[in-house]
Amino acid sequence: MAEQTTPAKAVGVGADGRLTALLTAAMGFSMLQLFLLGALGPRLVGEGGLSPTALGLTTTIGFGAAAVLSPAGGRMVDRTGPRRSLVVLLLVSAAALALIGAAPGPGSLLAAVALGGLPQALANPATNKAILASVPPARRGPVTGMKQSGVQLGAFAAGLPLSALAGAVGWRGAVWTAAAAAAAAALWAHRALPADRPTKTAPPRASSVPKGTIAWLAVFSLFLGCAIASVNTYVALFGSRKLGMGPTAAAALVAVLGVAGIAGRVGWSKAARPGRAEWLPGALATGAVLAASLLAAALYVRPLVWVGAVAVGVFAVSGNAVSMVLVMQRAAPGRAGQDSALVAAGFFAGFAIGPPLFGRLAEAGRYGPGWLLVAGEFAVAAVVATTWAVRDRRGPRMEVPA
């Protein structure tokens, strides 16, 4: 049974548009550090002395921390409410970005990235709870798609304006600028969002093991995350090292992927109505297999790298937004934050696992096999999602209680 939440008037936020803008910004800042590290990868490897494997470790540590913290983060959101959770998210994002900019070496850089795992753990539960509390059911799909596109807006910001700023003031200055923007967003959230309602009863205790629909979506998200993280982390380095692109042009690949992801997340989330939403994850992951194949083909036809980046955004990146729509449609009463966190934990675990596997191939210059590995991960995600959709259609929608 889906969580039923009576939408409350968003006092101080006003129309859906302003609430959506704030939630979109929160999603963007929650992952901005890792998009920045990916977009600035050529500069960090060249100027900062990082190896390609160490660059991949930033993603592993950041998302590994997010995966571990997600179950507790979901419980925290269900207990304290979305407003306080979003303010904490944005303040910790600002702190993590500031520490990355000040990091004197790889060790302190990785420690700062680990701190950035907390905002990632809070992002989906807090924003989903805010939508359930303030947005009418008919509008939740579009609003969810738009706020999920905030992650891709972060990719765009990292790939173009912040990367260009790094060329003028250095990579540290660009990261510090992002930290200041996150701190300003925390103040915005504190002033704009309505106060959290006191909870009369404690939310149900979360299981650390997802079950039913949530389990299928978590496994789907695991393989989807493995593949997307490899693209996010290494596509700029691939353009720079194998396709002869300059650092700014290579970073623009991340921006292009981000813009395509925005369009895909908004469009596919609008289409994710009950009865259709169940089939979309498998279809989108299947399209992502073709996208990864285009990146491999770019070794022979270089312009295909741009087509591949767009296709990854339209298909692969959109899959996560659709899975969050499904979570809100299927979440048990009082468990929207916890169930969102468990699915997000699978996604984050994939982000932690994927880049190190790809990084070994990148270290040896074997990007062709690397992109084929990504295509294989997308293919497994497609099989998992399609199998669940078939089983779900054949049987009654009975969720196993946590």
Side-chain angles (χ1 to χ4, degrees):
M1 181 178 178
E3 174 166 303
Q4 301 295 322
T5 304
T6 302
K9 183 178 179 182
V11 180
V13 175
D16 279 358
R18 278 175 283 175
L19 173 64
T20 304
L22 177 57
L23 299 182
T24 302
M27 291 298 296
F29 281 115
S30 73
M31 287 179 57
L32 181 59
Q33 59 162 353
L34 295 174
F35 282 122
L36 264 175
L37 291 170
L40 299 176
R43 298 183 188 276
L44 290 168
V45 171
E47 303 168 16
L50 285 181
S51 69
T53 300
L55 180 63
L57 275 177
T58 62
T59 300
T60 298
I61 290 175
F63 282 101
V68 170
L69 293 170
S70 282
R75 291 194 295 271
M76 170 187 161
V77 172
D78 281 334
R79 287 190 175 96
T80 64
R83 182 197 188 198
R84 278 173 284 194
S85 299
L86 286 167
V87 171
V88 170
L89 180 162
L90 291 163
L91 287 175
V92 177
S93 293
L97 286 163
L99 291 171
I100 288 171
S108 52
L109 175 68
L110 293 175
V113 168
L115 175 64
L118 178 59
Q120 294 166 239
L122 295 174
N124 282 299
T127 54
N128 286 354
K129 288 286 281 193
I131 289 170
L132 287 169
S134 303
V135 179
R139 287 276 302 145
R140 287 174 185 169
V143 172
T144 300
M146 191 62 231
K147 69 95 174 172
Q148 291 293 130
S149 75
V151 176
Q152 305 319 122
L153 282 172
F156 175 81
L160 274 186
L162 289 172
S163 181
L165 181 64
V169 302
W171 71 267
R172 295 182 189 274
V175 175
W176 284 330
T177 300
L187 180 61
W188 176 24
H190 177 72
R191 291 182 173 179
L193 287 171
D196 294 314
R197 294 179 176 182
T199 54
K200 296 180 181 179
T201 59
R205 177 70 181 176
S207 169
S208 59
V209 179
K211 299 175 182 178
T213 293
I214 302 304
W216 283 98
L217 290 175
V219 175
F220 163 75
S221 298
L222 171 68
F223 287 97
L224 189 75
C226 279
I228 293 175
S230 296
V231 178
N232 286 344
T233 305
Y234 286 106
V235 70
L237 199 61
F238 171 61
S240 176
R241 291 198 161 185
K242 301 297 287 188
L243 305 183
M245 301 170 70
T248 301
L253 288 169
V254 180
V256 166
L257 189 157
V259 171
I262 293 168
R265 286 188 163 191
V266 173
W268 290 118
S269 293
K270 285 182 179 179
R273 296 186 292 273
R276 178 187 295 176
E278 293 81 1
W279 298 98
L280 283 178
L284 293 174
T286 300
V289 175
L290 175 61
S293 301
L294 289 171
L295 293 177
L299 286 166
Y300 308 98
V301 183
R302 293 185 180 184
L304 287 178
V305 70
W306 298 100
V307 183
V310 169
V312 169
V314 170
F315 294 109
V317 170
S318 303
N320 180 247
V322 172
S323 68
M324 285 299 155
V325 173
L326 280 164
V327 168
M328 284 191 282
Q329 290 174 356
R330 300 295 188 89
R335 284 187 51 95
Q338 298 168 18
D339 287 349
S340 298
L342 290 172
V343 173
F347 193 59
F348 295 150
F351 265 67
I353 294 168
L357 298 177
F358 194 104
R360 289 183 172 273
L361 296 169
E363 194 86 48
R366 302 179 63 199
Y367 282 92
W371 298 130
L372 293 179
L373 171 64
V374 167
E377 291 162 347
F378 282 137
V380 175
V383 170
V384 170
T386 303
T387 301
W388 168 73
V390 171
R391 288 167 58 96
D392 186 71
R393 185 173 185 177
R394 288 177 178 172
R397 295 181 180 179
M398 295 182 64
E399 301 297 336
V400 179

